[in-house]
Amino acid sequence: MLSVQEASLSFGGIHALSELTFEAKQGEITAIIGPNGAGKTSLFNIISGFYKPQAGRVFFQDQDITHARPDKRAALGIARTFQNIALFRGMTVLENIKLGSHSRLKSGLFDSGIYYGAARREEIALRNELERDVIDFLELDHIRNLHVATLPYGLQKRVELARALALQPKVLLLDEPVAGMNREETEDIARFILDIQERWNTTILLVEHDMSMVMDISDQVIVLNFGKQIASGTPKDVQNNPAVIEAYLGTSAKGAA
Amino acid sequence: MGQFSQYVMNGIMNGSVYALIALGIVSIFKSTKVVNFAQGHVIMFGAYFYFTFSVMLPEATFMPDWVLKWEPEWLAAYKEGALMFSPKAAIAGWVNNLPRIILGIIGAVICNGILGLLIERVFMRPLLGQSSFAMILCTIGLIWVLEGSASLIWTADVDQVPPLGPNFPIRFTLFGEQVFFFSASVVNFGLALFLFGLLMLVLRFTRSGVAIRATAEDQSTAYAMGINVPAVFSSAWVIASTTGAFAGAILASRNGLSPTLGLFGLSVLAIVLMGGLDSFLGVLIAAMLVGIFESLTQWQLGGEIAEIVPYVLVLIVIIWRPNGLLGQAEIERI
Amino acid sequence: MIIGEYKTDYGQDEGIWNTWAKKLGFVVALLLLLLIPFIGNDYQLLMAGQIAIFVIAVVGLNVLVGYTGLMSLGHGAFFALGAYTTVALHQFFPHLFPLITLIISMVVAGFFGFLFGLPSLRVKGLYLAVATLSANFIVLFFIRQDWLEHLTGGRGGIETPNAYFFGTELITNQQKYFLIVPIAIVMFLFAQNLFRSRFGRALIAIRDNDHSAEILGISLFNYKLKSFVISAAYCGAAGTLWAYFFPAILPEDFGLNMSITLLICLVAGGMGRSLGPIFGTILILMVPELLKMGAFYFSEGNASAQIYFSPIRDIVFGLMIIGFLIFEPMGLVSIWDRFWRFINRWPFAK
């Protein structure tokens, strides 16, 4: 479905990713974990096209997208959220979500400017669809006309998820969706993620530090350290993998001796 | 070939004046992240201040005569028998003017420094924390304020101002052809480079220089480290306006005085972007390149096209290298 | 919130005039515009026409600067291109239908907008401001050239044609008003519509956060360039009407001062707001007139005092732009908003 092959990315002397290879399977939730600076967000950035890897390739549905521009990748159905919220702060929740569906809509300059006719029909159809599939689904109906800048952090994160969902993505990249949230909010988001998977059979990639959530919901876990994959497998396999324990807790006393 | 090198050298001399103007824009940008579109108009004020202190004030009735024309006895002895337009006569003439030149420079530097401080305090400080867009617009507003005030304050017909150095032609042969400059241009060239170098040294080796560089790297960290960031902002404006006073004096003696002097600032802005906003060296190189290209086009294609040379060059350079010749690309993160 | 407004489908919610107050306001404004040519004297109609022309240009600038967040200091150039295209066209086709001239001018200005917009893909903010500034100088340089003098009149300027509307020559300001104002209304509404549907939304997204816009599938290349082209075309249209409205044009009319004036109108009115260009333009174009009256009053008709007029006007303009930036950065529109908020809540809250 989505695979990265031997991708390397470095900034100056720092190797954010070195020869990383992995694959996400259709309809599964793949979690990517690792200590800070392990290259998780860099991996997302080469998948969504914000950075280009210096070596290696990115494939999506057997298509080489290594050099495609980010907007082309969105049109193919790759959506993402950001670690630091990247909403359009001047707009309302509804406008933010509508922007998510940009690449699915058609009306161009003249349709938009004339409005009555094609653009209006499209807007109303879109509004119907978004209200049903996104706003209602993510329980955002009470805030749809508020400006995003006024919302609390947890809701902003949820709006970002809604915006990504409005793309009707085939692959959804979630960069720390529950960072800084309390237990209850975390459970809400986890439930939404599972619902998305179930309802649209979306392939989901997840970067997250909240281990209990990762272990609960993911089908496959990939562990990165220093830009390299050090382990992968089911949550249970990974939990017992000595290399993972070492990366998280440091070298054990026995190993150091 | 001789002709060619003549024009290249003229270009370098003009380029050094551009570099001096650019210095102000870069030092303000480095410390405050504001690009001063009105730098040319600050320089125009410098030119008018120089005029005020070197021409208007010495001519006032309450000033002693020697300020306007200083003629010590040894000078008369030195001057004796000198031919018109000879170096000797020119130097003597320059010494005659020396008191008012010095008065002019000192007055222009002080007044322009105060002007820079005022601009920072009154107009820029309240905008602190707003987008750079707002700050740029504010400096654009300043263009009109300064231009209007200058034509209100200095309504009288303007006179010639004394050049900063003795002015006589220097002739020599190069590649078998006659080449010549005016010595005043050489003095201007030297002065511009000297000021440029001096500021580099100040930034590198003094305490306040380090404060400015730290602020340039990261404003909030500099603040947290106990650097008085608003003071750094003020000093950047003062540096820009005082170096601008010198540039103004040079421009006034070379091109004459008029409110349109401010337009120089815009072509220098093009030069600054060409060199890279945060790189003094890049700006110096760009200033020289533009000076040379301008003088070569003037030679080959006529003076009118030379006017748009900086604008055409900047378009070419920023399409080729978006951050300028030596500017650093920021790594963008999300 | 206006009480008693409820909607029964999404189409109503998506409308521009989605409250009765807005509907009423629009109708009243239209009626007023219809009334002006019959009650105004020649001088007032001159002002009205000038304001309408400027509104078109400022609306165009708003698309680029206010909504897309790209800076331009060169829109005077596109204004000039529109005006000179009109003059040149009428040399070959003296009775060309004004709307055709308008469209050709928009295409020409739009094409140059495309050319000068190319750097916008590589560079941001300030670099763009200087690139467009360069564009302004370069375009005016060519207009002044002797080898184009037969078309442009060179540095001495050129007389401009009048528009022929089905055989009638539009001579008086009243006649011209009926050409200019409807075009201004249509172009204003077009821009207004843009920003409530897909295209305009994408531009605002680029302004707010270009990286996430790109990752949502908005091609920065495509949209930034189109934004440039639209705003240049609007200025081109304004240029055409300018050429029809005034008896002659000079290259200097369209220099940096024009570009900055357009920006000031936008800042004073409110960037990125649909009513901003209208409020801003009216204010900024009225200020010199008020100053003129004031200067006349204080100097008691003394001609020697008149030389102070232009520097004082410059200073007032400069201080106004700075004052707006410091005290009312969102422009007159935010005063307007506060006023309506007050009305809506009164008497329950202030």
Side-chain angles (χ1 to χ4, degrees), chain A residues 86-92 95-96 99 147-148 163, chain B residues 131-133 332, chain C residues 61-71 124-125 128 195 199-214 216 218-220 223-224 227 266 270-274 277 329-330:
Chain A
L87 287 168
F88 304 109
R89 297 181 63 82
M91 301 186 195
T92 64
E95 284 166 330
N96 265 284
L99 268 161
H147 280 267
V148 287
R163 190 178 69 179
Chain B
S131 65
S132 61
F133 189 83
E332 291 182 87
Chain C
L61 192 65
N62 198 14
V63 171
L64 183 73
V65 179
Y67 288 108
T68 320
L70 298 172
M71 181 77 164
K124 285 187 179 177
L128 199 58
F195 293 100
F199 186 89
R201 228 172 16 232
L203 296 185
I204 304 176
I206 292 174
R207 176 192 70 190
D208 280 3
N209 193 332
D210 53 349
H211 294 316
S212 54
E214 197 176 15
L216 289 178
I218 296 164
S219 160
L220 299 183
Y223 280 87
K224 280 185 179 178
S227 169
L266 187 55
M271 285 186 287
R273 297 290 305 272
S274 51
M330 304 310 289

Side-chain angles (χ1 to χ4, degrees), chain C residues 179-246:
Chain C
L179 174 69
I180 292 167
V181 172
I183 291 176
I185 294 173
V186 169
M187 295 190 77
F188 172 76
L189 289 178
F190 186 88
Q192 168 83 353
N193 278 335
L194 267 190
F195 293 100
R196 59 175 173 147
S197 40
R198 177 173 177 262
F199 186 89
R201 228 172 16 232
L203 296 185
I204 304 176
I206 292 174
R207 176 192 70 190
D208 280 3
N209 193 332
D210 53 349
H211 294 316
S212 54
E214 197 176 15
I215 275 163
L216 289 178
I218 296 164
S219 160
L220 299 183
F221 178 83
N222 200 328
Y223 280 87
K224 280 185 179 178
L225 260 190
K226 279 185 183 160
S227 169
F228 245 101
V229 171
I230 296 168
S231 71
Y234 266 70
C235 282
T240 291
L241 297 176
W242 181 272
Y244 283 140
F245 194 62
F246 290 103

